């Protein structure tokens, strides 16, 4: 009996390592997009991916035909949503400037854009995963896409001192 468990454990580990070798690059890119970090410096994305992969490994034997990539992506999205949305107010106060291409989006917008446009998840599946109505997911995705295509303009700096000097002359 002990020998059988060792063989099963070894097989499980090899299967999981093969999965990680094939999927970790894309999953890390997904996590990096979610956290809006620079691709060459992404500690939060790596931590997020590590936790999602650990969860997938823990339930590896219970997958029974389920796609491990989908399971890991789902866990990644849920961990991001739960961890980020709770701290969103704090992030706005102590705003750090992220270098990622999606840094201008709110966390919920980022999550939906990554799921829908980068990962190709159907609108209904994304809505079910996030517990939102399908129409809401579509609206958020449309708004975020418009923001990415046409970023808001920053207000032109006003020079109060220069106008006062010119008027005084």
């Amino acid at each position: 009996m002990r020998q059988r468990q060792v063989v099963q454990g070894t097989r499980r580990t090899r299967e999981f390592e093969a999965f990680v070798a094939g999927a970790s690059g894309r999953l890390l890119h997904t996590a990096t997009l979610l956290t809006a970090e620079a691709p060459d410096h992404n500690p939060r994305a790596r931590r997020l991916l590590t936790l999602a992969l650990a969860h997938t490994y823990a339930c590896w034997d219970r997958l029974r035909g389920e796609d491990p990539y989908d399971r890991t992506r789902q866990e990644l999205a849920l961990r991001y949503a739960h961890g980020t949305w709770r701290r969103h107010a704090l992030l706005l106060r102590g705003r750090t400037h992220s270098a990622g291409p999606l840094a201008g989006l709110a966390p919920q917008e980022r999550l939906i854009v990554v799921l829908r446009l980068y990962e190709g998840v159907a609108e209904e599946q994304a809505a079910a995963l996030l517990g939102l109505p399908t129409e809401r997911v579509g609206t958020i995705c449309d708004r975020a896409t418009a923001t990415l295509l046409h970023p808001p303009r920053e207000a032109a700096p006003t020079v109060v001192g220069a106008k006062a000097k010119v008027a005084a002359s």
Side-chain angles (χ1 to χ4, degrees):
M1 185 68 145
R2 174 87 173 122
Q3 180 68 19
R4 183 175 164 196
Q5 290 174 341
V6 170
V7 170
Q8 286 177 341
T10 304
R11 179 187 49 82
R12 174 184 188 220
T13 301
R14 271 188 275 137
E15 288 175 355
F16 184 74
E17 286 173 350
F19 162 70
V20 170
S24 63
R26 183 172 173 104
L27 288 167
L28 179 60
H29 187 67
T30 299
T32 302
L33 288 172
L34 288 173
T35 59
E37 294 175 301
D40 55 343
H41 182 69
N42 53 4
R44 290 183 315 185
R46 290 178 184 277
R47 174 82 173 137
L48 189 65
L49 178 58
T50 300
L51 294 171
L53 286 171
H55 183 268
T56 301
Y57 183 73
C59 62
W60 189 260
D61 292 333
R62 296 181 304 244
L63 290 178
R64 294 192 176 88
E66 188 180 344
D67 184 10
Y69 184 86
D70 287 341
R71 179 51 105 47
T72 307
R73 180 182 59 214
Q74 181 180 18
E75 184 65 24
L76 190 68
L78 290 174
R79 284 188 180 275
Y80 171 76
H82 291 173
T84 302
W85 291 349
R86 286 186 205 138
R87 294 186 310 268
H88 184 62
L90 295 175
L91 290 174
L92 289 178
R93 276 188 236 138
R95 187 93 172 149
T96 58
H97 297 288
S98 299
L102 304 180
L105 299 178
Q108 185 181 38
E109 292 173 331
R110 222 176 312 156
L111 178 57
I112 290 173
V113 165
V114 169
L115 286 175
R116 294 278 298 121
L117 303 180
Y118 182 72
E119 288 291 326
V121 174
E123 199 169 272
E124 294 81 16
Q125 287 178 310
L129 177 67
L130 301 174
L132 296 172
T134 305
E135 299 80 23
R136 180 77 178 133
V137 169
T139 302
I140 292 171
C141 188
D142 292 343
R143 184 180 62 220
T145 304
T147 301
L148 289 172
L149 293 174
H150 308 287
R153 294 182 186 163
E154 293 184 20
T158 57
V159 183
V160 177
K163 288 183 180 179
K165 288 180 184 176
V166 172
S169 305

